Amino acid sequence: MLRFVLRRLGALAATLLISSFLVFSAMYAAPGTPESFLVQGRTVSPEVLASIRAQYGLDDPFLIRYWNWLGGVLTGDLGESLTTRQDVASLLASRIPTTLWLTLYAAVLIVVFGVLAGALAGLRGGAFDTGVLLGSSVGFAVPTFFAAVLLMSVFSVTLGWFPVFGAGSGFVGRIEHLTLPAVALALPAAAVVARITRTAVVEERAAEHVSVALARGVPWRVVARRHILRNAMLPVTTIVGVNIAALVAGAAVVEHAFTLDGVGAMLINSVQQKDFAVVQAVALLLVAIFGVVNLVIDVLYAVIDPRVQLGGESA
């Protein structure tokens, strides 16, 4: 297990290195230049533009700029925002709590409602199964931004049950302010997870070993827990992990709709303003989160089913 984790950490480091180069390259390949945004359409002399480029090292060769940026990242220096002149690491630190609360809240909703509803639908069948299939189809079809607007209109503006804007403070305040954003963010993923969980449970329920266990007089609750749900959780773990990792990227739409001061909203603004340092830092953070989540999923495989082989080794 330890050697597997170390190998995966090495692969994650290599992935981050390649991703950092691609992210850095993509920003400079995009139309426009940082200095053109900084002058905001004003007519300035070539000397002013040259001083701006010299200040931010924009005249250095591309590989030199990348090497300097990468060296700063490795030492915790993510650079300086072109728009606010603030340290990017400080900007991220002030925005991460809101995004973290939002994604964790949405992840809980995905696990509780997606996995639970799918498992019950697969085990019970009947009208409940039909309801889950219908609800998951609707949830998957509704765009996140439309869901956010609809939830605000009904539960905030019309009924007044939840606040419309802001992330709140303290545990109760956070839960109150982030309930609607978390529901909007979790809705499509919960629908996918419920559908896949239901399919996995139905397939395991029809397996031969389940019929044999029931024929031998093993109680249904034991069969459901040990033979059906345990085996069905392997594919479900993968889809849950992937969707939870994707929440960080999807949070940008929700944060923009609910005017939350999170990392996603900062990413959208930074892309529009061509704030290179901020976009690069956020993109690298997203890649790191995906890599860590995938590592956790692989380790969870061995926890759920010890028969799973990790990297050629027995867990």
Side-chain angles (χ1 to χ4, degrees), residues 73-192:
V73 170
L74 294 177
T75 58
D77 181 10
L78 300 177
E80 181 183 272
S81 170
L82 296 177
T83 57
T84 65
R85 305 296 196 277
Q86 291 180 275
D87 184 66
V88 175
S90 300
L91 288 175
L92 279 177
S94 65
R95 298 291 191 111
I96 284 177
T98 297
T99 301
L100 184 61
W101 273 90
L102 176 61
T103 52
L104 287 178
Y105 196 171
V108 171
L109 295 179
I110 290 172
V111 173
V112 172
F113 291 100
V115 176
L116 183 60
L120 290 177
L123 291 174
R124 292 185 176 183
F128 186 81
D129 184 25
T130 303
V132 169
L133 288 175
L134 179 61
S136 62
S137 298
V138 174
F140 182 73
V142 175
T144 301
F145 189 81
F146 177 78
V149 174
L150 182 63
L151 289 171
M152 279 192 293
S153 176
V154 175
F155 294 101
S156 293
V157 178
T158 304
L159 299 176
W161 290 357
F162 297 96
V164 180
F165 306 113
S169 60
F171 181 79
V172 176
R174 291 279 192 180
I175 295 299
E176 182 183 14
H177 282 75
L178 295 179
T179 293
L180 294 185
V183 171
L185 180 59
L187 185 60
V192 172

